[in-house]
Amino acid sequence: MACEQGYLKLSRVGIIGAGISGIAAAKQLSHQNPIVFEATDSIGGVWKHCSFASTKLQTPRCDFEFSDYPWPQRDNSSFPSYLEILDYLHNYATHFDVLKFIKFNSRVVEIRYIGDRETTTLDVAPGEFGSLLRGHPVWEVAVETNPSKTVEMYAFELLVVCIGKYGDIPRMPVFPPNKGQEIFSGKVMHTLEYSKLDKEAAGELLKGKKVAVVGYKKSAIDLATECAEANQGPDGQPCTMVIRTLHWTVPAYWIWGLPFFLFYSTRSSQFLHERPNQGLLRNLLCPLLSPMRKAVSKFIESYLVWKLPLDKYGLKPDHPFEEDYASCQMAILPENFFSEADKGKILFKRASKWWFWNGGLEFEDNTKIEADVVLLASGYDGKKKIQDLLPEPFSSLIVDSTGLMPLYRGTIHPLIPNMAFVGYIESVSNLHTAEIRCKWLSRLADGLFKLPSIEKMLDQTTKEMEIMKKTTRFYKRHCISTFSINHSDEICEEMGWKSLRKNNWFLEAFAPYNSQDYGEDK
């Protein structure tokens, strides 16, 4: 059959990407013998290809583990380095024999929709999404294999896209004529390029140089800290962080002596927040709970202002802490970040607009700073990344008018048949978010339950986006952190699992939820 169709391989399930989401999808769909295409020579995704020497996990180990593969030292309170995370992921993939499904150095260069060749009016009722495995190929995939550069053809009934929003395509700032990096005499580098340097090369780039880091999210903070560490001693130069938008930063997961999970990661704490499908009573109750939500945010802010020199350096955001948490933008600070600032090794410059001059950067207030190196922590163009991969008309449909991907259960795009997306919504634990959706996807593919109508799925995604818009001005990150337990409840109910996962009502109300609560034997 494969020869007749001209394909090297005809398979039921194809998976693109072998990062966290791709590994989780391969494990949960292993009974389908999926083929996983990984463009590089290793698993790990952004943890492998977008990490710096100082990159660490942003959550405790127990909040970043697979439900059936706990960390060896899961109660260790330190944040594991990216190398420890890669080791954990490799051990997981080895333990569950997932590596056998992965084709390394295999980059997907084209996807074509061929479902209309064999689809009949009997396959899918009007307004219905239909089954994920229909018995005939729906997607044709061209894969370039390195280093030979040969292109091989595959066809699949179901295609699972796990390339994520980060990495591959850097988001680069745009400047007026004669104000871009072409007039700058120094070196300009995006974090994507910087992450490919080894420790020695990174140190050589930074040591004794006047460095400007543009940004104030996790990558920028890590970069500034590495720059300060490379410039110790009397000959060291300070690093200047150029900040457009401030965000709240957290030194540790304790607030005034209380564990952080009490504020946002329990049923009782998330009860204060709006959620989709919450019913009439909760719609009436949520406005009354607003003072309590604000009080929690103010309580956390008071600790951060007391603990960190935010006022001293002009780094206190104008927006509530809750908005950063609700958009998954809360960053954990390196231990020595503000101590390096106190030594004068890290400087701060607030600026909504900036551009290059020959010797550095210039700002809208007519001030300038000198720089030998400018590092851009300006993020990635995840939208372009996914649009470049998909064919029309699906490329135009992938995001809606607000710029968000309308994914039902964070996985199924109602307007794109026989394709799933994992890793495109965020929470406090992206690993757990990906794994439970892969469990849901596997059962959906096996026909254990059916999807609602396309109209109902679109309505559900609209409700979620409206909640995010009400909660934070940074809603375009598609973060579900303030209603993540409710999101998991609905997934469990569709799978036929009980949604209450704890052993008693007290734990159900006040204990944090993590991946261990969603083991299959629960």
Side-chain angles (χ1 to χ4, degrees):
M1 182 177 180
C3 293
E4 291 176 2
Q5 296 291 334
Y7 301 124
L8 175 67
K9 180 78 174 180
L10 187 69
S11 183
R12 302 198 82 187
V13 178
I15 300 171
I16 306 175
I20 288 172
S21 300
I23 294 169
K27 193 264 184 180
Q28 297 301 327
L29 290 161
S30 60
H31 59 291
Q32 301 286 359
N33 290 311
I35 299 175
V36 183
F37 301 112
E38 169 53 45
T40 70
D41 61 359
S42 58
I43 66 172
V46 293
W47 287 106
K48 175 68 175 178
H49 305 292
C50 298
S51 295
F52 316 144
S54 62
T55 300
K56 291 186 176 184
L57 187 64
Q58 289 279 283
T59 58
R61 284 170 168 80
C62 60
D63 288 331
F64 193 88
E65 63 183 358
F66 293 101
S67 60
D68 50 5
Y69 196 76
W71 281 84
Q73 297 176 311
R74 70 186 306 266
D75 295 326
N76 187 329
S77 61
S78 65
F79 299 122
S81 69
Y82 79 95
L83 292 174
E84 290 177 279
I85 294 166
L86 289 174
D87 188 50
Y88 171 76
L89 294 175
H90 190 272
N91 290 341
Y92 173 84
T94 302
H95 179 79
F96 289 106
D97 201 20
V98 170
L99 296 175
K100 68 182 180 184
F101 301 121
I102 304 175
K103 290 185 174 292
F104 292 104
N105 298 305
S106 300
R107 180 181 296 277
V108 173
V109 293
E110 186 179 7
I111 298 174
R112 288 196 289 268
Y113 178 68
I114 57 172
D116 53 0
R117 294 181 189 174
E118 300 185 52
T119 300
T120 70
T121 56
L122 298 177
D123 285 344
V124 183
E128 300 296 323
F129 190 82
S131 62
L132 293 182
L133 298 174
R134 299 183 184 177
H136 57 77
V138 176
W139 296 101
E140 187 178 80
V141 179
V143 180
E144 182 182 79
T145 304
N146 286 323
S148 65
K149 298 294 184 182
T150 57
V151 176
E152 301 169 334
M153 302 302 296
Y154 296 79
F156 301 100
E157 295 177 43
L158 169 64
L159 198 57
V160 187
V161 180
C162 302
I163 60 174
K165 298 187 289 186
Y166 305 110
D168 295 327
I169 301 180
R171 181 184 290 117
M172 302 296 286
V174 178
F175 302 97
N178 299 317
K179 291 187 176 182
Q181 65 184 71
E182 69 279 358
I183 67 167
F184 177 52
S185 60
K187 186 172 184 62
V188 180
M189 185 179 288
H190 189 273
T191 52
L192 178 63
E193 188 180 356
Y194 178 86
S195 67
K196 300 183 187 306
L197 303 177
D198 58 31
K199 192 170 183 178
E200 183 179 343
E204 185 177 330
L205 174 72
L206 302 174
K207 186 174 178 60
K209 308 284 179 52
K210 296 175 183 176
V211 179
V213 175
V214 179
Y216 193 62
K217 294 180 184 176
K218 180 56 180 172
S219 294
I221 291 170
D222 284 345
L223 271 178
T225 306
E226 287 195 12
C227 181
E229 291 172 346
N231 280 281
Q232 299 297 304
D235 296 329
Q237 296 286 341
C239 167
T240 303
M241 296 193 76
V242 179
I243 305 168
R244 184 178 66 177
T245 304
L246 288 171
H247 294 284
W248 290 96
T249 53
V250 178
Y253 279 96
W254 290 88
I255 303 294
W256 293 122
L258 298 173
F260 187 85
F261 70 74
L262 286 177
F263 303 105
Y264 290 106
S265 300
T266 66
R267 283 195 184 275
S268 56
S269 60
Q270 292 196 5
F271 180 79
L272 302 178
H273 297 270
E274 288 193 63
R275 64 183 67 165
N277 308 315
Q278 60 185 9
L280 177 61
L281 182 60
R282 281 192 56 82
N283 278 331
L284 295 173
L285 193 58
C286 271
L288 301 177
L289 295 173
S290 178
M292 293 186 67
R293 293 195 297 271
K294 291 178 180 178
V296 169
S297 189
K298 287 290 185 184
F299 184 76
I300 296 172
E301 292 163 30
S302 69
Y303 174 77
L304 298 178
V305 172
W306 171 78
K307 182 71 174 178
L308 304 173
L310 302 181
D311 287 324
K312 175 182 176 180
Y313 292 112
L315 297 177
K316 181 183 175 184
D318 294 327
H319 58 268
F321 173 85
E322 180 187 336
E323 290 200 38
D324 276 339
Y325 186 83
S327 56
C328 298
Q329 296 195 100
M330 181 188 77
I332 299 293
L333 285 173
E335 292 181 6
N336 58 334
F337 179 75
F338 277 115
S339 63
E340 293 297 339
D342 290 340
K343 292 190 293 186
K345 295 299 182 182
I346 301 178
L347 308 176
F348 305 98
K349 172 65 180 179
R350 293 289 309 279
S352 58
K353 293 182 180 179
W354 61 275
W355 52 89
F356 288 95
W357 64 284
N358 178 263
L361 302 182
E362 186 174 354
F363 307 98
E364 58 187 347
D365 61 0
N366 296 320
T367 60
K368 294 181 178 181
I369 62 170
E370 295 181 353
D372 303 307
V373 179
V374 175
L375 299 176
L376 302 174
S378 49
Y380 298 92
D381 195 339
K383 186 193 304 184
K384 179 172 171 52
K385 183 178 176 180
I386 190 71
Q387 286 176 325
D388 287 350
L389 184 65
L390 297 181
E392 290 293 353
F394 308 110
S395 178
S396 298
L397 294 172
I398 190 67
V399 296
D400 63 13
S401 58
T402 68
L404 287 169
M405 292 174 64
L407 298 178
Y408 180 73
R409 303 297 183 228
T411 309
I412 296 294
H413 194 301
L415 303 179
I416 302 180
N418 296 75
M419 185 175 284
F421 302 85
V422 184
Y424 290 89
I425 64 170
E426 299 182 60
S427 72
V428 175
S429 174
N430 288 335
L431 187 151
H432 164 62
T433 302
E435 185 193 29
I436 193 170
R437 279 152 189 79
C438 289
K439 291 182 177 185
W440 176 89
L441 176 64
S442 175
R443 286 156 178 77
L444 175 62
D446 289 344
L448 299 183
F449 62 93
K450 292 184 177 181
L451 291 171
S453 68
I454 290 175
E455 181 181 2
K456 287 182 178 179
M457 287 194 288
L458 287 171
D459 181 60
Q460 172 69 17
T461 62
T462 300
K463 288 177 181 177
E464 290 179 13
M465 292 175 189
E466 289 301 319
I467 296 296
M468 289 185 283
K469 287 179 184 179
K470 290 180 183 179
T471 308
T472 175
R473 70 196 69 186
F474 309 113
Y475 66 89
K476 288 193 176 183
R477 289 178 64 92
H478 205 163
C479 173
I480 61 169
S481 61
T482 59
F483 57 94
S484 58
I485 297 175
N486 174 256
H487 218 265
S488 296
D489 286 349
E490 293 180 343
I491 285 176
C492 287
E493 288 165 5
E494 282 191 335
M495 291 193 294
W497 292 9
K498 62 180 183 180
S499 57
L500 300 179
R501 314 292 294 174
K502 302 288 189 183
N503 294 327
N504 60 64
W505 68 266
F506 183 83
L507 294 177
E508 196 65 63
F510 300 109
Y513 259 84
N514 56 44
S515 61
Q516 295 298 308
D517 294 304
Y518 296 94
E520 310 224 0
D521 58 343
K522 286 275 184 177

